[in-house]
Structures are given as C-alpha cells and as structure tokens.
Amino acid sequence: METDLVAVAVGVLAAALTGTATGVGQEAAAAVVRTVRERLGATPRGQAALDGLSAAPDDAEARREAESVLREEARQDPALRSALTAHLSASSSHTSGSVVISGSRLRGSQISLGPVTINKPSSTGGLLGLVAALVVVIALLIYGGVQLAVDDSPGGDDGKSVQARALSVAETEQMIPALTDLEGTWGTLMPPSAQGGGAGRCHRGGADYKTAEGSSPHDLKLRFRVNSCPNITRATEGYEEIVKLRQNPGGRKEHPFSAQRFGDESTTTRYRVEDETMADPSQVGEHLMSRARVGTVVIEMHYGPIRDEAGSERQAAELMRIMSERARKMQADG
C-alpha cells in the first residue's frame, strides 16, 4: 500500500513539474504537490531528492530517489499516508468503500480511465512519465493497492481510521482542554468557549492560560484557537490559510521548527522576542506556534516563552497531542 501510494504522489508532483494535467482535480493535485514538497523539504536528503526531481522530472532515477525518501517518511508517519490518501481521493467518483471503473477511452488530447481523466503531454519525456504514472494508477484501481475512492475518514494520531464529521458548537467547546487538563500551576485568562459561525461556516473557539514560575520575570502563556468546520474541504482551506498567514501573539516573523506531526497535517514554527527596548521582559525568549488539521477541525496553539525555569518543548508537544486526540475522539464518537 505504501509503495503504490507514494508512487502516485510522486507521479502527481512529476506531472505538475512537466505541465501534465491529471483528472484528480486541480485542488487535490495542488494539495498532493504541497504535501510531498513539504515532507521532502524537511530533511537534507529529501531536499536533495526534491531538487533532483525538479531539475529532471522525467528522469526515472530522480523519481525513484524521491519515492524512496517519501516512502520512508510514510512508513514512519501514518498521518502522512492518511493525508495523501485523502487528497488523492478527494475528487474521485466513487461509492462508499469501492472503486468503480466505467470504461476507458482515448479521445483527442485526453486519456480517460473511468473516473480518471488525464491530458496527454505535448513532450515525449512528459508522455513517458505519464505512461509510468498510468501503470501505477491502473494497478491501484485493479488490485486495490490504495483506496483512491474512500469515505472522508482520515487517520488519527495513532494511525486509526476515524470518521470525520462536523461538530456542534457545544462539542467544539468541550474539545478544548480545560484548566484541569494542564500539568503544573496554571491560571485562566480566558476559559474554553466557542461560538457558531453561521450556516456553512466554521464554529470558532479557544482558551487562554498563563503561569508564572522561575526566578526571572516570566509569563508562560498558552493559547488554543480552533475552527470546527462543516466539512474537510473547508477545514483544509482554513488550515492552509493560517499556515500561510503565520500570525502570532508577538507579531514576529516565524521560522521552521522540527517537531512531532499531529492529525492529518500539521506544522510547527518558532519566533523569538529579543531583550530590547520596548520589549516585554516577561515575553523575552523563544515561542512555538503549532498548527494542525484533524479531520474537520483546525487547531492553532501558541506556547511560550520557553525557558529553563519554566516551559519546555516536551510540554508544548504534549499539549498539542492532547488537543489533536480530543479533536479526533470527538469526531469518532459522534
């Protein structure tokens, strides 16, 4: 399953690089390309593989190296497999739990395989790459190597498949960690709350906490913001938007930060408040911003500043894990 899924994902990226359109849908293809690029770019070897593929998308060796790196990532991270499967199946014609092929045909500049339509590339190299991708897709459809037509049920943090569903306003509020869920001595700045977003919109909720520990001025703050959306499409759009905007309480520029992955897709960044004129001394230090999508729920968490006497990367990761698991469980229990 992993080999086929990875081959298809890398094939979509190669098709994008050669200008070959695929019938998985523009948004789905863009999501696959973004996911593959992000994961390959997370390691030196992956970045080298991505550079090689970008320079020669028709080269078989470059594709194999990209697949090898991505395959290892997918083997270690069930959430990556779930995200790729969800993206690849987003625009497929299907019935629940099955794949239907309605026939194949060649017409003009298009090749159609049941619900999948692919535009033939103009270049010989692009055509060769397309043929290789078609072999994989056909194998997937015939042998069920990966379920391209599936229900919108992304895997949770533990790799188990769950049913993604829209949450009510009350469920959105219940999902947010309360003061009793936090280790250590915390105080409440804003208790968990949520409000409806209106018809077709995401419900919004959040909570703010702080603690003061250590010998130097310190004000460790924790902030949760959640958007509980009516469907996965809206949630994915919301996640992409907050990742792009990178807004944080300090108003500082964020930088990549290597951290555990959560939910269907996630990213963690950091920003630093320097000890300078006009800076709040209690906020000097490094802060973390974690963002994730778990099914129909989008999560954003601020944690910082991290210092020796209070606050740690471990605790930040644990809090994000708790939040992600609550979102997964709430959707699964419905």
Side-chain angles (χ1 to χ4, degrees):
M1 178 182 293
E2 291 174 3
T3 301
D4 292 337
L5 177 63
V6 166
V8 172
V10 172
V12 171
L13 174 56
L17 292 170
T18 58
T20 304
T22 65
V24 298
Q26 184 176 355
E27 292 184 4
V32 172
V33 169
R34 182 174 56 255
T35 299
V36 174
R37 283 183 178 278
E38 182 180 271
R39 187 54 64 95
L40 290 180
T43 64
R45 182 191 172 195
Q47 185 61 56
L50 180 59
D51 292 341
L53 185 64
S54 299
D58 295 330
D59 184 72
E61 184 60 33
R63 288 170 63 99
R64 281 195 293 269
E65 175 61 13
E67 289 175 10
S68 177
V69 177
L70 190 64
R71 184 172 299 114
E72 183 61 28
E73 290 287 320
R75 184 176 295 113
Q76 298 178 7
D77 187 1
L80 174 59
R81 297 197 299 272
S82 298
L84 289 175
T85 302
H87 293 325
L88 287 170
S89 64
S91 62
S92 299
S93 299
H94 65 277
T95 58
S96 180
S98 64
V99 176
V100 177
I101 302 177
S102 60
S104 59
R105 63 183 182 278
L106 173 63
R107 183 179 62 189
S109 62
Q110 291 186 329
I111 300 174
S112 297
L113 296 172
V116 181
T117 300
I118 303 176
N119 293 328
K120 292 190 297 182
S122 57
S123 67
T124 301
L127 182 59
L128 291 175
L130 173 60
V131 171
L134 282 174
V135 171
V136 176
V137 172
I138 293 172
L140 293 176
L141 292 174
I142 296 176
Y143 297 109
V146 61
Q147 191 178 4
L148 290 181
V150 298
D151 202 355
D152 289 331
S153 306
D157 298 316
D158 57 4
K160 297 179 181 178
S161 179
V162 299
Q163 178 66 42
R165 67 178 182 88
L167 302 181
S168 66
V169 176
E171 289 173 324
T172 301
E173 182 175 322
Q174 293 171 13
M175 177 179 56
I176 303 169
L179 192 61
T180 54
D181 297 313
L182 308 179
E183 288 187 15
T185 305
W186 292 84
T188 302
L189 291 174
M190 184 183 81
S193 62
Q195 59 183 8
R201 296 178 179 271
C202 304
H203 305 319
R204 296 187 176 185
D208 292 348
Y209 303 101
K210 72 172 183 177
T211 183
E213 301 176 1
S215 57
S216 59
H218 183 80
D219 186 5
L220 176 60
K221 291 184 178 180
L222 171 64
R223 184 184 75 173
F224 289 109
R225 293 293 182 269
V226 299
N227 285 275
S228 179
C229 300
N231 51 56
I232 289 181
T233 299
R234 292 296 302 275
T236 300
E237 293 173 350
Y239 171 76
E240 293 173 353
E241 181 177 359
I242 65 171
V243 169
K244 180 180 180 180
L245 291 177
R246 287 191 174 187
Q247 294 181 341
N248 57 74
R252 301 303 204 275
K253 181 178 180 180
E254 298 179 20
H255 303 277
F257 183 86
S258 178
Q260 178 181 350
R261 289 182 170 84
F262 305 94
D264 297 294
E265 49 188 336
S266 69
T267 182
T268 300
T269 58
R270 63 177 177 84
Y271 71 87
R272 185 171 185 81
V273 176
E274 301 292 345
D275 188 4
E276 55 191 11
T277 304
M278 302 300 291
D280 182 350
S282 72
Q283 294 302 293
V284 171
E286 187 171 86
H287 300 246
L288 297 180
M289 293 295 300
S290 297
R291 301 173 175 99
R293 180 183 66 81
V294 184
T296 60
V297 175
V298 180
I299 304 165
E300 185 173 54
M301 185 190 82
H302 161 265
Y303 181 96
I306 294 176
R307 293 182 177 174
D308 293 338
E309 63 271 24
S312 70
E313 297 173 15
R314 180 200 62 78
Q315 186 179 54
E318 177 64 13
L319 290 168
M320 192 63 180
R321 183 192 66 79
I322 291 174
M323 183 70 228
S324 298
E325 287 190 352
R326 278 174 168 249
R328 177 181 61 83
K329 188 175 187 302
M330 186 67 71
Q331 292 176 75
D333 290 346

PDB file of all heavy atoms in Angstrom, residues 44-59:
ATOM      1  N   PRO A  44      17.658  16.987   4.767  1.00  0.00           N
ATOM      2  CA  PRO A  44      18.659  17.259   3.723  1.00  0.00           C
ATOM      3  C   PRO A  44      18.562  16.288   2.550  1.00  0.00           C
ATOM      4  O   PRO A  44      18.636  16.684   1.395  1.00  0.00           O
ATOM      5  CB  PRO A  44      19.984  17.095   4.481  1.00  0.00           C
ATOM      6  CG  PRO A  44      19.652  17.430   5.901  1.00  0.00           C
ATOM      7  CD  PRO A  44      18.278  16.879   6.107  1.00  0.00           C
ATOM      8  N   ARG A  45      18.396  14.981   2.858  1.00  0.00           N
ATOM      9  CA  ARG A  45      18.286  14.010   1.780  1.00  0.00           C
ATOM     10  C   ARG A  45      17.017  14.245   0.974  1.00  0.00           C
ATOM     11  O   ARG A  45      17.025  14.166  -0.268  1.00  0.00           O
ATOM     12  CB  ARG A  45      18.275  12.586   2.340  1.00  0.00           C
ATOM     13  CG  ARG A  45      18.214  11.534   1.234  1.00  0.00           C
ATOM     14  CD  ARG A  45      17.947  10.145   1.774  1.00  0.00           C
ATOM     15  NE  ARG A  45      17.710   9.188   0.702  1.00  0.00           N
ATOM     16  CZ  ARG A  45      17.179   7.994   0.838  1.00  0.00           C
ATOM     17  NH1 ARG A  45      16.827   7.572   2.057  1.00  0.00           N
ATOM     18  NH2 ARG A  45      16.994   7.211  -0.195  1.00  0.00           N
ATOM     19  N   GLY A  46      15.924  14.549   1.670  1.00  0.00           N
ATOM     20  CA  GLY A  46      14.677  14.807   0.977  1.00  0.00           C
ATOM     21  C   GLY A  46      14.759  16.036   0.094  1.00  0.00           C
ATOM     22  O   GLY A  46      14.237  16.043  -1.025  1.00  0.00           O
ATOM     23  N   GLN A  47      15.419  17.079   0.579  1.00  0.00           N
ATOM     24  CA  GLN A  47      15.563  18.298  -0.211  1.00  0.00           C
ATOM     25  C   GLN A  47      16.393  18.039  -1.454  1.00  0.00           C
ATOM     26  O   GLN A  47      16.092  18.549  -2.539  1.00  0.00           O
ATOM     27  CB  GLN A  47      16.209  19.398   0.632  1.00  0.00           C
ATOM     28  CG  GLN A  47      16.298  20.746  -0.068  1.00  0.00           C
ATOM     29  CD  GLN A  47      14.934  21.316  -0.450  1.00  0.00           C
ATOM     30  OE1 GLN A  47      14.077  21.469   0.410  1.00  0.00           O
ATOM     31  NE2 GLN A  47      14.736  21.603  -1.731  1.00  0.00           N
ATOM     32  N   ALA A  48      17.432  17.217  -1.294  1.00  0.00           N
ATOM     33  CA  ALA A  48      18.264  16.872  -2.443  1.00  0.00           C
ATOM     34  C   ALA A  48      17.445  16.086  -3.476  1.00  0.00           C
ATOM     35  O   ALA A  48      17.570  16.312  -4.686  1.00  0.00           O
ATOM     36  CB  ALA A  48      19.469  16.053  -1.995  1.00  0.00           C
ATOM     37  N   ALA A  49      16.598  15.176  -2.984  1.00  0.00           N
ATOM     38  CA  ALA A  49      15.746  14.396  -3.889  1.00  0.00           C
ATOM     39  C   ALA A  49      14.751  15.305  -4.598  1.00  0.00           C
ATOM     40  O   ALA A  49      14.469  15.140  -5.794  1.00  0.00           O
ATOM     41  CB  ALA A  49      15.020  13.315  -3.109  1.00  0.00           C
ATOM     42  N   LEU A  50      14.197  16.265  -3.851  1.00  0.00           N
ATOM     43  CA  LEU A  50      13.244  17.208  -4.438  1.00  0.00           C
ATOM     44  C   LEU A  50      13.912  18.070  -5.496  1.00  0.00           C
ATOM     45  O   LEU A  50      13.348  18.314  -6.573  1.00  0.00           O
ATOM     46  CB  LEU A  50      12.655  18.093  -3.334  1.00  0.00           C
ATOM     47  CG  LEU A  50      11.624  19.146  -3.760  1.00  0.00           C
ATOM     48  CD1 LEU A  50      10.431  18.481  -4.446  1.00  0.00           C
ATOM     49  CD2 LEU A  50      11.156  19.947  -2.549  1.00  0.00           C
ATOM     50  N   ASP A  51      15.140  18.521  -5.205  1.00  0.00           N
ATOM     51  CA  ASP A  51      15.883  19.332  -6.184  1.00  0.00           C
ATOM     52  C   ASP A  51      16.161  18.519  -7.448  1.00  0.00           C
ATOM     53  O   ASP A  51      16.057  19.034  -8.562  1.00  0.00           O
ATOM     54  CB  ASP A  51      17.195  19.813  -5.576  1.00  0.00           C
ATOM     55  CG  ASP A  51      16.981  20.819  -4.452  1.00  0.00           C
ATOM     56  OD1 ASP A  51      15.885  21.406  -4.383  1.00  0.00           O
ATOM     57  OD2 ASP A  51      17.900  21.013  -3.637  1.00  0.00           O
ATOM     58  N   GLY A  52      16.531  17.235  -7.241  1.00  0.00           N
ATOM     59  CA  GLY A  52      16.810  16.381  -8.397  1.00  0.00           C
ATOM     60  C   GLY A  52      15.579  16.157  -9.250  1.00  0.00           C
ATOM     61  O   GLY A  52      15.651  16.192 -10.484  1.00  0.00           O
ATOM     62  N   LEU A  53      14.441  15.941  -8.612  1.00  0.00           N
ATOM     63  CA  LEU A  53      13.202  15.730  -9.344  1.00  0.00           C
ATOM     64  C   LEU A  53      12.764  17.001 -10.054  1.00  0.00           C
ATOM     65  O   LEU A  53      12.264  16.960 -11.178  1.00  0.00           O
ATOM     66  CB  LEU A  53      12.102  15.247  -8.391  1.00  0.00           C
ATOM     67  CG  LEU A  53      10.765  14.855  -9.027  1.00  0.00           C
ATOM     68  CD1 LEU A  53      10.955  13.651  -9.943  1.00  0.00           C
ATOM     69  CD2 LEU A  53       9.729  14.546  -7.957  1.00  0.00           C
ATOM     70  N   SER A  54      12.937  18.131  -9.395  1.00  0.00           N
ATOM     71  CA  SER A  54      12.555  19.414 -10.003  1.00  0.00           C
ATOM     72  C   SER A  54      13.403  19.705 -11.235  1.00  0.00           C
ATOM     73  O   SER A  54      12.914  20.267 -12.220  1.00  0.00           O
ATOM     74  CB  SER A  54      12.719  20.545  -8.982  1.00  0.00           C
ATOM     75  OG  SER A  54      11.883  20.348  -7.857  1.00  0.00           O
ATOM     76  N   ALA A  55      14.693  19.305 -11.173  1.00  0.00           N
ATOM     77  CA  ALA A  55      15.588  19.558 -12.302  1.00  0.00           C
ATOM     78  C   ALA A  55      15.320  18.597 -13.456  1.00  0.00           C
ATOM     79  O   ALA A  55      15.484  18.957 -14.628  1.00  0.00           O
ATOM     80  CB  ALA A  55      17.043  19.423 -11.848  1.00  0.00           C
ATOM     81  N   ALA A  56      14.895  17.366 -13.137  1.00  0.00           N
ATOM     82  CA  ALA A  56      14.652  16.373 -14.185  1.00  0.00           C
ATOM     83  C   ALA A  56      13.443  15.512 -13.827  1.00  0.00           C
ATOM     84  O   ALA A  56      13.596  14.358 -13.424  1.00  0.00           O
ATOM     85  CB  ALA A  56      15.894  15.508 -14.382  1.00  0.00           C
ATOM     86  N   PRO A  57      12.235  16.057 -13.930  1.00  0.00           N
ATOM     87  CA  PRO A  57      11.026  15.317 -13.536  1.00  0.00           C
ATOM     88  C   PRO A  57      10.759  14.071 -14.362  1.00  0.00           C
ATOM     89  O   PRO A  57      10.000  13.198 -13.949  1.00  0.00           O
ATOM     90  CB  PRO A  57       9.904  16.348 -13.710  1.00  0.00           C
ATOM     91  CG  PRO A  57      10.450  17.347 -14.671  1.00  0.00           C
ATOM     92  CD  PRO A  57      11.910  17.413 -14.405  1.00  0.00           C
ATOM     93  N   ASP A  58      11.386  13.967 -15.555  1.00  0.00           N
ATOM     94  CA  ASP A  58      11.188  12.789 -16.399  1.00  0.00           C
ATOM     95  C   ASP A  58      12.226  11.704 -16.132  1.00  0.00           C
ATOM     96  O   ASP A  58      12.147  10.613 -16.710  1.00  0.00           O
ATOM     97  CB  ASP A  58      11.256  13.183 -17.890  1.00  0.00           C
ATOM     98  CG  ASP A  58      10.116  14.113 -18.288  1.00  0.00           C
ATOM     99  OD1 ASP A  58       9.040  14.002 -17.679  1.00  0.00           O
ATOM    100  OD2 ASP A  58      10.318  14.942 -19.187  1.00  0.00           O
ATOM    101  N   ASP A  59      13.211  11.996 -15.289  1.00  0.00           N
ATOM    102  CA  ASP A  59      14.292  11.057 -15.022  1.00  0.00           C
ATOM    103  C   ASP A  59      13.837   9.975 -14.037  1.00  0.00           C
ATOM    104  O   ASP A  59      13.398  10.280 -12.919  1.00  0.00           O
ATOM    105  CB  ASP A  59      15.508  11.797 -14.463  1.00  0.00           C
ATOM    106  CG  ASP A  59      16.688  10.866 -14.258  1.00  0.00           C
ATOM    107  OD1 ASP A  59      17.290  10.438 -15.247  1.00  0.00           O
ATOM    108  OD2 ASP A  59      16.997  10.554 -13.079  1.00  0.00           O
TER     109      ASP A  59
END
